[in-house]
Amino acid sequence: MSTTSLLVIAILILATLGYFLASKRAISTAGGDRRKLHSLPVYYGSNAAMFTAIPALGVLLIWLLAQPMLVERNILSTIPDKLIPEGSSIGLVMSDVRRVADGLEVVVNTGTLSQNETLKLDTEQTDIRALLAGVGAAVGSDVQPEVLEAAQNYRAQTKMGQLWMVLIIVPLALIGFALSVLAAKPTFRARNTVERGILALLVLAASLAILTTIGIVFSMLFESINFFKLHPWTDFFFGGSWAPNFRGDSDLSILPLLWGTIYISIIALIVAVPVGLFAAIYLSEYASPRVRAFAKPLLEILAGIPTIVYGLFALLTVGPALVRVFGRGEEGLLGLEWMSGATAVLTAGLVMGIMLIPFVSSLSDDIINAVPQSLRDGSLGLGATPSETIRQVVLPAALPGIVGAVLLAASRAIGETMIVVLGAGAIAKFSANPLEAMTTITTRIVSQLTGDTDFASPETLVAFALGLTLFVLTLGLNVIALYIVRKYREQYD
Amino acid sequence: MTDAIQKPEKKKSSLLQLDARTRTRNAAETRFKAYGMIAIAFGLLMLSILVFNIVTRGAGAYQQTFVALEVELLAGKLDKKGNRDLDDIKKVSTFGYTPLLSNALEAKVIELGIETDLKAKKMVGILSKSAAAQVRDYVLNNPNKIGETIGFEFLASSRVDGYLKGRVNRDSIGNDKNISPAQLDLVDALKAEGSLAKRFNMSFITGSDASDARPEAAGMGTSMIGSFFMMLVVLVLALPIGVAASIYLEEFAPKNWITDIIEVNISNLAAVPSIVFGILGLAVFINYMHLPNSAPLVGGLVLTLMTLPTIIISTRASLKAVPPSIRDAALGVGASKMQSVFHHVLPLAAPGILTGTIIGLAQALGETAPLLLIGMVGFIASNPPDSIATGLLSPNSAMPAQIYEWAKRADPAFYERAWGGIIILLVFLVTMNTIAVILRRRFERRW
């Protein structure tokens, strides 16, 4: 069992012990009379458990996150430049070092060699690769002496770090244990302390949302900066073509991808907005309660279907159906030869539109329902027909909200991945023909980041720049949409 | 002033007869209403097409063609030394078992008097490539049966299976190296005799993925386990964190700019494209923390971050629905604020929280895009994990990722599997949503 898990178990045992000791001690210092205690004995116990476990576990967590980074930085500075082969990167050498170090750990653990023997290992005398392969740790190439040395260093520093970790965390837990058990006296306000601790945990949980956002932004920002160091930003934002080439010298411009993304989203909105809007109008203004109770949940099923299902639907059903209509020359329904493959802008756009129907309809439904009944009554009382009321009174009143709903749907369409990965194709180009295959930002992120990736090449890193652009784009749309919707809701509240 | 003298033409109108303008207005009314009906009909039509497609195309995956054969386990081939030593028997690879299969098929053909000019070697082509491994596994488990003749049921190859299901026909196999018309003749003969038939295929639900050459043996079982472990991680992390965050925001948070930032953040995170969470997972959990690639643990962590906003939003709604009088009563009899929340408000909000969690889990279960980035595709998830630790840490696929994987493979036989997989996925989603609806109906309290 690893040092870390032993440490965690020890801390937990200590905390449990603290719980019982502190609640016992609280009662006994009160002379066995619970009424003399400030708080219930449970709180004295919890207080002890809290002070034993939480500082120690918190430091442990931070330590575990920080140590690999610090050790790695130390090792990186010792790796000579000549070790990095042509076309490779320091990151790959570092992962070799890590693999050798892990392998040596296994060698010691399985008892193949003793700790001292591994320290004396020499690339001249032993075949390290075979040795590691013997315990099931695969290393890609023969181990060079520098790598071995770095790996030895890595192990030594990791060991040292672990030793310090134990030396700091165990006393920390013991101090917390001792202080909190000693504090368990009738005058001690244990409940207040425990409740403050719980509140701190609640705050921590709530701030995870902020942490996630920061994580998203920084993880993409750092890699994007790395990308712009390797690739001119002018080409990324203003270049005209997308042609990644893993041998280097690629054209990586976002514009063709952005065009594909927007084109597909527009088609999706052309399908989803009228259908969704009319469905919402009918459901909220015309439909009898029975129709509404039946049609609304059914429509909303469309929103609950996973996108992979829509992707498959596009690739295997809608795409071939469109080819049958617009393609195949003489054999096709129209005798045309406009469409050659199932993947096309129209395929992805149509299916995405179907997916967005319930999204638009339920948002618009809410918004139309929020328009005060008095407006409708006034209009109907003046002799307008229901449709005139809707067109000239309800819709203008609901317009800002509906615009917000459409913007939210657009942001959904831009960020949608599975439908376009399966249905849109992989060719980046500027074209106005909806029957051609085109590609989108999300599709390219997936293709650049799956499979064997090398995080030092611009062809991989470009995915982070694409991701950041996508994030900013959808975030902007969402913020505007939410602002409009919220502002509009306030009007009638 | 001649205009004034002219009498205006008297307009004839009747309450009983509609004038032209009213008629156009009424027509517009009818049209408008029809547009709404058409829109709803279009949506429902698309839904029914989708469901029809899934059911008709996916049902095939639950049936598979099997061939019943009597295989003689020749001692001379399997155990040349004759001492039944398991190590010696293990030395015979699956190639060594292929002759047994061709012998068995040949015997069958002669027994039934089928006329075919196929060589025995070619006949084996109608069986799945996993057939030899199946016999080998049997022999390794029962070495004492060597020398006997045992009845086996083998999977037929995917082409034969497709032929029985109508996906493959004699015209379409012109350039197909894997099957020939003569083999199909043999299939017809065996089918007429009854030793080759379609039946329910349990191993599609319980089995593992198989390589490109054996679509007939691929199943969803292993990826279901992967999904299960991911959902476990999501449940263990997202539920407590989400509930804690909502309690803070709803009950304790002071109205200031920090709280505002958190709230805006949560509503924005709910709308961030899922693929962005995949990038986050790749950058933070795999590249920075060096957690294993393709592991359900990493998938679970990413999905946790994705599901958190959903759970927080629904939990806050159900906390808000608990009337303030409950809190006031608790405070009035001397409970602390924390006690009033944990002893009174939270239990009353529990059904709503549970409903929201189930819906969040259902969403996470169907999510695919982030899983592509953390590497849960592109390999064959063939070994079911044997413990919780390996289940969390060893590479596995997940249901939607497995479906994507099959959709990407070239062989149309995998498409049927993909649709079949979707049926399983949807059964899970429908079940979860039904449970959520029942919980809501049963326990929801109106105050």
Short mmCIF file of all heavy atoms in Angstrom, two decimals, chain A residues 43 65 69 98 191 195 203 213 215 275 282 286 298 306 308 312-313 316-317 354 383 385 387-388 450 455 478, chain B residues 25 29 37 39 46-47 50 53 57 248 265 271 275 280 287-288 290 336 338-339 368 372 404 407 419 422 429:
data_model
loop_
_atom_site.label_atom_id
_atom_site.label_comp_id
_atom_site.label_asym_id
_atom_site.label_seq_id
_atom_site.Cartn_x
_atom_site.Cartn_y
_atom_site.Cartn_z
N TYR A 43 -21.08 17.41 19.44
CA TYR A 43 -20.35 18.54 18.87
C TYR A 43 -18.91 18.56 19.35
O TYR A 43 -18.01 18.93 18.59
CB TYR A 43 -21.05 19.86 19.21
CG TYR A 43 -22.28 20.07 18.36
CD1 TYR A 43 -23.55 19.92 18.88
CD2 TYR A 43 -22.15 20.41 17.02
CE1 TYR A 43 -24.67 20.11 18.11
CE2 TYR A 43 -23.25 20.60 16.23
CZ TYR A 43 -24.52 20.45 16.77
OH TYR A 43 -25.61 20.63 15.99
N LEU A 65 -0.75 17.68 -5.01
CA LEU A 65 -0.88 18.41 -6.27
C LEU A 65 0.40 19.14 -6.61
O LEU A 65 0.80 19.23 -7.77
CB LEU A 65 -2.04 19.41 -6.20
CG LEU A 65 -3.43 18.80 -6.16
CD1 LEU A 65 -4.49 19.89 -6.11
CD2 LEU A 65 -3.66 17.95 -7.39
N MET A 69 4.81 18.72 -9.52
CA MET A 69 5.18 19.86 -10.34
C MET A 69 6.56 20.38 -9.95
O MET A 69 7.40 20.64 -10.81
CB MET A 69 4.14 20.97 -10.17
CG MET A 69 4.22 22.02 -11.23
SD MET A 69 2.82 23.12 -11.15
CE MET A 69 3.00 23.86 -9.56
N ARG A 98 9.77 9.71 -16.26
CA ARG A 98 8.75 9.31 -15.30
C ARG A 98 8.49 7.81 -15.40
O ARG A 98 8.35 7.12 -14.39
CB ARG A 98 7.48 10.11 -15.56
CG ARG A 98 6.77 10.51 -14.29
CD ARG A 98 5.55 11.34 -14.58
NE ARG A 98 5.84 12.57 -15.27
CZ ARG A 98 5.33 12.92 -16.44
NH1 ARG A 98 4.51 12.11 -17.07
NH2 ARG A 98 5.63 14.07 -16.99
N ARG A 191 -20.34 23.72 19.54
CA ARG A 191 -21.27 23.77 18.42
C ARG A 191 -20.93 24.93 17.48
O ARG A 191 -20.91 24.76 16.26
CB ARG A 191 -22.70 23.91 18.92
CG ARG A 191 -23.72 23.88 17.79
CD ARG A 191 -25.13 23.97 18.33
NE ARG A 191 -25.32 25.08 19.25
CZ ARG A 191 -25.51 26.33 18.88
NH1 ARG A 191 -25.57 26.64 17.63
NH2 ARG A 191 -25.66 27.28 19.77
N GLU A 195 -20.02 24.50 13.63
CA GLU A 195 -20.89 25.11 12.60
C GLU A 195 -20.09 26.04 11.71
O GLU A 195 -20.33 26.13 10.50
CB GLU A 195 -22.05 25.84 13.26
CG GLU A 195 -23.04 24.83 13.82
CD GLU A 195 -24.30 25.48 14.33
OE1 GLU A 195 -24.33 26.72 14.43
OE2 GLU A 195 -25.24 24.74 14.61
N VAL A 203 -18.93 26.97 1.83
CA VAL A 203 -18.37 28.03 0.98
C VAL A 203 -17.42 27.42 -0.05
O VAL A 203 -17.45 27.77 -1.24
CB VAL A 203 -17.63 29.08 1.83
CG1 VAL A 203 -16.91 30.07 0.95
CG2 VAL A 203 -18.59 29.79 2.75
N THR A 213 -14.49 27.40 -13.58
CA THR A 213 -14.35 28.39 -14.64
C THR A 213 -12.91 28.82 -14.79
O THR A 213 -12.38 28.89 -15.91
CB THR A 213 -15.22 29.62 -14.32
OG1 THR A 213 -16.51 29.17 -13.97
CG2 THR A 213 -15.29 30.54 -15.50
N GLY A 215 -10.33 27.09 -13.95
CA GLY A 215 -9.64 25.94 -14.54
C GLY A 215 -9.82 25.91 -16.05
O GLY A 215 -8.87 25.72 -16.80
N VAL A 275 -40.34 26.33 -36.22
CA VAL A 275 -41.09 25.19 -35.68
C VAL A 275 -41.27 25.35 -34.18
O VAL A 275 -42.38 25.21 -33.65
CB VAL A 275 -40.36 23.86 -36.01
CG1 VAL A 275 -41.09 22.70 -35.36
CG2 VAL A 275 -40.30 23.66 -37.50
N TYR A 282 -48.81 27.72 -30.34
CA TYR A 282 -49.99 26.86 -30.36
C TYR A 282 -50.25 26.28 -28.97
O TYR A 282 -51.38 26.29 -28.48
CB TYR A 282 -49.81 25.73 -31.38
CG TYR A 282 -51.04 24.89 -31.52
CD1 TYR A 282 -52.11 25.33 -32.30
CD2 TYR A 282 -51.17 23.68 -30.86
CE1 TYR A 282 -53.27 24.59 -32.41
CE2 TYR A 282 -52.31 22.93 -30.96
CZ TYR A 282 -53.36 23.39 -31.74
OH TYR A 282 -54.50 22.66 -31.85
N TYR A 286 -53.49 28.23 -28.03
CA TYR A 286 -54.63 27.55 -28.65
C TYR A 286 -54.97 26.21 -28.01
O TYR A 286 -56.13 25.86 -27.88
CB TYR A 286 -54.36 27.31 -30.14
CG TYR A 286 -54.41 28.56 -30.97
CD1 TYR A 286 -53.26 29.11 -31.50
CD2 TYR A 286 -55.62 29.18 -31.25
CE1 TYR A 286 -53.29 30.26 -32.26
CE2 TYR A 286 -55.68 30.33 -32.02
CZ TYR A 286 -54.51 30.86 -32.52
OH TYR A 286 -54.56 31.99 -33.28
N LEU A 298 -44.07 15.09 -24.90
CA LEU A 298 -43.55 14.33 -26.04
C LEU A 298 -42.48 15.13 -26.77
O LEU A 298 -41.44 14.60 -27.16
CB LEU A 298 -44.69 13.98 -27.00
CG LEU A 298 -45.44 12.70 -26.69
CD1 LEU A 298 -46.48 12.43 -27.77
CD2 LEU A 298 -44.49 11.52 -26.60
N PRO A 306 -29.78 11.73 -26.04
CA PRO A 306 -28.36 12.11 -26.09
C PRO A 306 -27.94 12.49 -27.52
O PRO A 306 -28.49 11.98 -28.49
CB PRO A 306 -27.65 10.82 -25.67
CG PRO A 306 -28.65 9.99 -25.02
CD PRO A 306 -29.98 10.36 -25.57
N ILE A 308 -25.36 11.77 -29.16
CA ILE A 308 -24.77 10.70 -29.97
C ILE A 308 -25.86 10.03 -30.82
O ILE A 308 -25.62 9.62 -31.96
CB ILE A 308 -24.04 9.67 -29.07
CG1 ILE A 308 -23.50 8.49 -29.85
CG2 ILE A 308 -24.92 9.13 -27.98
CD1 ILE A 308 -22.26 8.75 -30.60
N LEU A 312 -25.84 9.68 -34.88
CA LEU A 312 -26.05 8.45 -35.65
C LEU A 312 -27.23 8.62 -36.62
O LEU A 312 -27.18 8.17 -37.76
CB LEU A 312 -26.34 7.31 -34.67
CG LEU A 312 -25.78 5.96 -35.06
CD1 LEU A 312 -24.27 6.03 -35.15
CD2 LEU A 312 -26.17 4.91 -34.04
N PHE A 313 -28.27 9.30 -36.14
CA PHE A 313 -29.44 9.58 -36.97
C PHE A 313 -29.02 10.38 -38.20
O PHE A 313 -29.46 10.09 -39.33
CB PHE A 313 -30.45 10.36 -36.12
CG PHE A 313 -31.78 10.61 -36.76
CD1 PHE A 313 -32.54 9.55 -37.23
CD2 PHE A 313 -32.29 11.89 -36.86
CE1 PHE A 313 -33.78 9.78 -37.80
CE2 PHE A 313 -33.51 12.12 -37.42
CZ PHE A 313 -34.27 11.07 -37.90
N LEU A 316 -26.58 7.99 -40.50
CA LEU A 316 -27.10 6.76 -41.09
C LEU A 316 -28.52 6.89 -41.62
O LEU A 316 -28.95 6.03 -42.39
CB LEU A 316 -27.05 5.63 -40.05
CG LEU A 316 -25.66 5.29 -39.53
CD1 LEU A 316 -25.73 4.17 -38.52
CD2 LEU A 316 -24.76 4.90 -40.68
N THR A 317 -29.26 7.90 -41.23
CA THR A 317 -30.64 8.00 -41.72
C THR A 317 -30.85 9.25 -42.57
O THR A 317 -31.21 9.16 -43.75
CB THR A 317 -31.62 8.02 -40.53
OG1 THR A 317 -31.34 6.91 -39.71
CG2 THR A 317 -33.04 7.95 -41.02
N ILE A 354 -33.68 19.76 -35.44
CA ILE A 354 -34.66 18.90 -34.75
C ILE A 354 -34.33 18.86 -33.26
O ILE A 354 -35.21 18.97 -32.40
CB ILE A 354 -34.63 17.48 -35.34
CG1 ILE A 354 -35.12 17.52 -36.78
CG2 ILE A 354 -35.49 16.54 -34.52
CD1 ILE A 354 -34.91 16.23 -37.51
N GLY A 383 -61.73 43.64 -30.38
CA GLY A 383 -62.22 42.97 -31.57
C GLY A 383 -61.17 42.28 -32.40
O GLY A 383 -61.46 41.83 -33.51
N THR A 385 -58.79 39.29 -33.66
CA THR A 385 -58.86 37.83 -33.59
C THR A 385 -57.68 37.34 -32.75
O THR A 385 -56.72 38.08 -32.55
CB THR A 385 -58.77 37.22 -34.99
OG1 THR A 385 -57.49 37.56 -35.54
CG2 THR A 385 -59.86 37.71 -35.89
N SER A 387 -55.28 35.41 -33.51
CA SER A 387 -53.99 35.45 -34.20
C SER A 387 -53.49 36.89 -34.29
O SER A 387 -52.28 37.13 -34.17
CB SER A 387 -54.10 34.83 -35.59
OG SER A 387 -54.85 35.66 -36.43
N GLU A 388 -54.42 37.84 -34.49
CA GLU A 388 -53.99 39.24 -34.51
C GLU A 388 -53.45 39.65 -33.15
O GLU A 388 -52.46 40.38 -33.06
CB GLU A 388 -55.15 40.14 -34.93
CG GLU A 388 -55.46 40.03 -36.40
CD GLU A 388 -56.84 40.59 -36.75
OE1 GLU A 388 -57.61 40.92 -35.82
OE2 GLU A 388 -57.15 40.67 -37.94
N THR A 450 -7.67 13.69 -30.40
CA THR A 450 -7.81 12.26 -30.18
C THR A 450 -6.68 11.54 -30.90
O THR A 450 -6.09 12.05 -31.83
CB THR A 450 -9.16 11.72 -30.68
OG1 THR A 450 -9.40 12.26 -31.96
CG2 THR A 450 -10.27 12.08 -29.75
N PHE A 455 2.03 17.19 -27.31
CA PHE A 455 1.63 18.50 -26.83
C PHE A 455 2.69 19.58 -27.05
O PHE A 455 2.68 20.60 -26.41
CB PHE A 455 1.24 18.42 -25.35
CG PHE A 455 -0.12 17.85 -25.19
CD1 PHE A 455 -0.31 16.49 -25.06
CD2 PHE A 455 -1.23 18.67 -25.25
CE1 PHE A 455 -1.57 15.96 -24.95
CE2 PHE A 455 -2.50 18.14 -25.14
CZ PHE A 455 -2.66 16.79 -24.99
N ASN A 478 -24.28 33.61 -24.37
CA ASN A 478 -25.07 33.30 -23.18
C ASN A 478 -25.28 34.52 -22.31
O ASN A 478 -26.38 34.75 -21.81
CB ASN A 478 -24.36 32.24 -22.33
CG ASN A 478 -24.52 30.89 -22.92
OD1 ASN A 478 -25.54 30.60 -23.53
ND2 ASN A 478 -23.51 30.07 -22.78
N ARG B 25 -59.80 37.96 -42.57
CA ARG B 25 -59.25 37.89 -41.22
C ARG B 25 -59.43 36.51 -40.62
O ARG B 25 -58.54 35.97 -39.99
CB ARG B 25 -59.92 38.94 -40.32
CG ARG B 25 -59.41 40.35 -40.57
CD ARG B 25 -60.17 41.34 -39.76
NE ARG B 25 -59.92 41.20 -38.33
CZ ARG B 25 -60.70 41.73 -37.40
NH1 ARG B 25 -61.78 42.41 -37.75
NH2 ARG B 25 -60.42 41.57 -36.13
N GLU B 29 -56.70 33.73 -39.47
CA GLU B 29 -56.77 33.08 -38.16
C GLU B 29 -56.59 31.57 -38.31
O GLU B 29 -55.78 30.95 -37.61
CB GLU B 29 -58.12 33.42 -37.52
CG GLU B 29 -58.44 32.69 -36.25
CD GLU B 29 -57.58 33.16 -35.10
OE1 GLU B 29 -57.18 34.33 -35.12
OE2 GLU B 29 -57.29 32.35 -34.22
N MET B 37 -50.26 23.93 -35.55
CA MET B 37 -50.48 22.48 -35.56
C MET B 37 -49.42 21.79 -36.39
O MET B 37 -48.91 20.73 -36.01
CB MET B 37 -51.85 22.18 -36.14
CG MET B 37 -52.99 22.45 -35.18
SD MET B 37 -54.47 21.99 -36.03
CE MET B 37 -55.71 22.38 -34.90
N ALA B 39 -46.41 22.79 -36.92
CA ALA B 39 -45.14 22.79 -36.19
C ALA B 39 -45.10 21.64 -35.20
O ALA B 39 -44.12 20.89 -35.12
CB ALA B 39 -44.95 24.11 -35.46
N MET B 46 -40.92 13.93 -36.37
CA MET B 46 -39.48 13.69 -36.27
C MET B 46 -39.18 12.74 -35.11
O MET B 46 -38.35 11.83 -35.23
CB MET B 46 -38.73 15.01 -36.05
CG MET B 46 -38.65 15.86 -37.28
SD MET B 46 -37.84 14.95 -38.58
CE MET B 46 -38.73 15.48 -40.00
N LEU B 47 -39.89 12.94 -34.00
CA LEU B 47 -39.68 12.06 -32.86
C LEU B 47 -40.03 10.63 -33.22
O LEU B 47 -39.28 9.69 -32.94
CB LEU B 47 -40.55 12.53 -31.68
CG LEU B 47 -40.46 11.66 -30.43
CD1 LEU B 47 -39.09 11.76 -29.81
CD2 LEU B 47 -41.51 12.06 -29.41
N LEU B 50 -37.49 9.10 -35.54
CA LEU B 50 -36.28 8.77 -34.78
C LEU B 50 -36.46 7.47 -34.01
O LEU B 50 -35.64 6.55 -34.10
CB LEU B 50 -35.96 9.94 -33.84
CG LEU B 50 -34.65 9.89 -33.07
CD1 LEU B 50 -33.49 9.81 -34.04
CD2 LEU B 50 -34.49 11.13 -32.22
N ASN B 53 -36.76 4.48 -36.31
CA ASN B 53 -35.44 4.14 -36.81
C ASN B 53 -34.64 3.35 -35.82
O ASN B 53 -34.02 2.34 -36.14
CB ASN B 53 -34.69 5.45 -37.06
CG ASN B 53 -34.22 5.55 -38.46
OD1 ASN B 53 -33.36 4.80 -38.85
ND2 ASN B 53 -34.84 6.43 -39.20
N ARG B 57 -33.85 -0.52 -36.63
CA ARG B 57 -32.47 -0.84 -36.99
C ARG B 57 -31.71 -1.50 -35.86
O ARG B 57 -30.74 -2.21 -36.09
CB ARG B 57 -31.75 0.44 -37.37
CG ARG B 57 -32.28 1.05 -38.63
CD ARG B 57 -31.21 1.90 -39.19
NE ARG B 57 -31.64 2.60 -40.38
CZ ARG B 57 -30.79 3.28 -41.12
NH1 ARG B 57 -29.53 3.34 -40.77
NH2 ARG B 57 -31.21 3.89 -42.19
N TYR B 248 -25.34 26.64 0.78
CA TYR B 248 -24.68 27.92 1.06
C TYR B 248 -25.36 29.06 0.32
O TYR B 248 -25.73 30.08 0.91
CB TYR B 248 -23.20 27.84 0.68
CG TYR B 248 -22.51 29.17 0.88
CD1 TYR B 248 -22.26 29.64 2.17
CD2 TYR B 248 -22.18 29.98 -0.19
CE1 TYR B 248 -21.68 30.87 2.38
CE2 TYR B 248 -21.60 31.21 0.01
CZ TYR B 248 -21.36 31.66 1.29
OH TYR B 248 -20.80 32.87 1.49
N ASN B 265 -21.57 32.59 -12.47
CA ASN B 265 -20.71 31.50 -12.89
C ASN B 265 -21.45 30.21 -13.09
O ASN B 265 -21.25 29.50 -14.07
CB ASN B 265 -19.69 31.28 -11.76
CG ASN B 265 -18.31 31.50 -12.25
OD1 ASN B 265 -17.93 30.90 -13.24
ND2 ASN B 265 -17.59 32.36 -11.60
N ALA B 271 -24.23 26.37 -19.39
CA ALA B 271 -24.38 26.53 -20.84
C ALA B 271 -23.07 26.40 -21.59
O ALA B 271 -23.05 26.57 -22.80
CB ALA B 271 -25.01 27.89 -21.12
N ILE B 275 -17.85 19.93 -24.83
CA ILE B 275 -16.50 19.61 -25.30
C ILE B 275 -15.46 20.44 -24.56
O ILE B 275 -14.33 19.99 -24.35
CB ILE B 275 -16.40 19.80 -26.82
CG1 ILE B 275 -15.06 19.23 -27.30
CG2 ILE B 275 -16.52 21.23 -27.24
CD1 ILE B 275 -15.06 18.85 -28.71
N LEU B 280 -10.86 20.70 -20.59
CA LEU B 280 -10.45 20.91 -19.20
C LEU B 280 -9.94 19.61 -18.59
O LEU B 280 -8.87 19.57 -17.97
CB LEU B 280 -11.63 21.44 -18.38
CG LEU B 280 -11.42 21.53 -16.88
CD1 LEU B 280 -10.57 22.71 -16.53
CD2 LEU B 280 -12.74 21.61 -16.14
N ASN B 287 -3.03 15.73 -18.31
CA ASN B 287 -1.71 16.29 -18.54
C ASN B 287 -1.06 16.82 -17.27
O ASN B 287 0.14 16.74 -17.11
CB ASN B 287 -1.79 17.44 -19.54
CG ASN B 287 -1.89 16.91 -20.94
OD1 ASN B 287 -1.82 15.71 -21.16
ND2 ASN B 287 -2.06 17.79 -21.90
N TYR B 288 -1.86 17.36 -16.37
CA TYR B 288 -1.26 17.96 -15.18
C TYR B 288 -1.18 16.95 -14.03
O TYR B 288 -0.13 16.74 -13.44
CB TYR B 288 -2.03 19.20 -14.76
CG TYR B 288 -1.48 19.83 -13.52
CD1 TYR B 288 -0.23 20.44 -13.53
CD2 TYR B 288 -2.17 19.78 -12.32
CE1 TYR B 288 0.31 20.99 -12.39
CE2 TYR B 288 -1.64 20.33 -11.17
CZ TYR B 288 -0.40 20.93 -11.21
OH TYR B 288 0.14 21.47 -10.08
N HIS B 290 -1.62 13.73 -14.21
CA HIS B 290 -1.17 12.42 -14.68
C HIS B 290 -2.08 11.28 -14.22
O HIS B 290 -1.61 10.22 -13.85
CB HIS B 290 0.26 12.14 -14.22
CG HIS B 290 1.23 13.13 -14.76
ND1 HIS B 290 1.43 13.31 -16.10
CD2 HIS B 290 2.03 14.03 -14.16
CE1 HIS B 290 2.30 14.26 -16.29
NE2 HIS B 290 2.68 14.73 -15.13
N SER B 336 -30.03 26.28 16.09
CA SER B 336 -29.16 27.23 15.40
C SER B 336 -29.55 27.23 13.92
O SER B 336 -30.29 26.37 13.45
CB SER B 336 -27.71 26.82 15.57
OG SER B 336 -27.45 25.66 14.82
N MET B 338 -27.74 26.53 11.39
CA MET B 338 -27.23 25.30 10.77
C MET B 338 -28.14 24.12 11.09
O MET B 338 -28.45 23.31 10.23
CB MET B 338 -25.82 25.06 11.31
CG MET B 338 -24.97 24.10 10.54
SD MET B 338 -24.56 24.67 8.89
CE MET B 338 -23.25 25.82 9.19
N GLN B 339 -28.59 24.05 12.37
CA GLN B 339 -29.48 22.95 12.75
C GLN B 339 -30.81 23.05 12.03
O GLN B 339 -31.37 22.03 11.59
CB GLN B 339 -29.70 22.96 14.26
CG GLN B 339 -28.50 22.42 15.02
CD GLN B 339 -28.60 22.68 16.50
OE1 GLN B 339 -29.22 23.66 16.94
NE2 GLN B 339 -27.97 21.83 17.30
N THR B 368 -21.24 12.39 -24.63
CA THR B 368 -20.18 11.71 -25.36
C THR B 368 -18.95 12.56 -25.58
O THR B 368 -17.82 12.10 -25.39
CB THR B 368 -20.68 11.29 -26.76
OG1 THR B 368 -22.02 10.90 -26.65
CG2 THR B 368 -19.85 10.16 -27.30
N LEU B 372 -14.55 11.66 -25.62
CA LEU B 372 -13.66 11.47 -26.76
C LEU B 372 -12.30 12.07 -26.45
O LEU B 372 -11.26 11.53 -26.81
CB LEU B 372 -14.22 12.15 -28.01
CG LEU B 372 -15.62 11.78 -28.46
CD1 LEU B 372 -15.93 12.45 -29.78
CD2 LEU B 372 -15.72 10.28 -28.62
N TYR B 404 -20.31 5.48 -30.41
CA TYR B 404 -19.56 6.30 -31.34
C TYR B 404 -18.48 5.48 -32.03
O TYR B 404 -18.29 5.55 -33.25
CB TYR B 404 -18.92 7.46 -30.58
CG TYR B 404 -17.95 8.29 -31.38
CD1 TYR B 404 -18.40 9.19 -32.33
CD2 TYR B 404 -16.58 8.16 -31.20
CE1 TYR B 404 -17.51 9.93 -33.08
CE2 TYR B 404 -15.69 8.90 -31.93
CZ TYR B 404 -16.16 9.78 -32.87
OH TYR B 404 -15.28 10.52 -33.61
N ALA B 407 -20.01 3.41 -34.63
CA ALA B 407 -20.48 4.21 -35.77
C ALA B 407 -19.31 4.61 -36.67
O ALA B 407 -19.49 4.86 -37.84
CB ALA B 407 -21.19 5.46 -35.26
N TRP B 419 -26.95 0.98 -33.28
CA TRP B 419 -28.37 1.23 -33.00
C TRP B 419 -28.83 0.40 -31.82
O TRP B 419 -29.60 0.85 -30.97
CB TRP B 419 -29.23 0.90 -34.23
CG TRP B 419 -29.10 1.87 -35.37
CD1 TRP B 419 -28.51 1.61 -36.57
CD2 TRP B 419 -29.56 3.22 -35.44
NE1 TRP B 419 -28.57 2.72 -37.37
CE2 TRP B 419 -29.21 3.72 -36.71
CE3 TRP B 419 -30.24 4.06 -34.55
CZ2 TRP B 419 -29.51 5.01 -37.12
CZ3 TRP B 419 -30.53 5.34 -34.96
CH2 TRP B 419 -30.17 5.80 -36.23
N ILE B 422 -27.81 1.97 -28.74
CA ILE B 422 -28.64 3.12 -28.42
C ILE B 422 -29.90 2.67 -27.68
O ILE B 422 -30.35 3.33 -26.74
CB ILE B 422 -28.99 3.89 -29.70
CG1 ILE B 422 -27.78 4.71 -30.13
CG2 ILE B 422 -30.19 4.79 -29.50
CD1 ILE B 422 -27.97 5.46 -31.38
N LEU B 429 -31.93 5.61 -19.83
CA LEU B 429 -32.37 7.00 -19.65
C LEU B 429 -33.86 7.06 -19.31
O LEU B 429 -34.27 7.80 -18.41
CB LEU B 429 -32.09 7.81 -20.91
CG LEU B 429 -30.62 8.02 -21.24
CD1 LEU B 429 -30.47 8.90 -22.45
CD2 LEU B 429 -29.91 8.63 -20.06
#
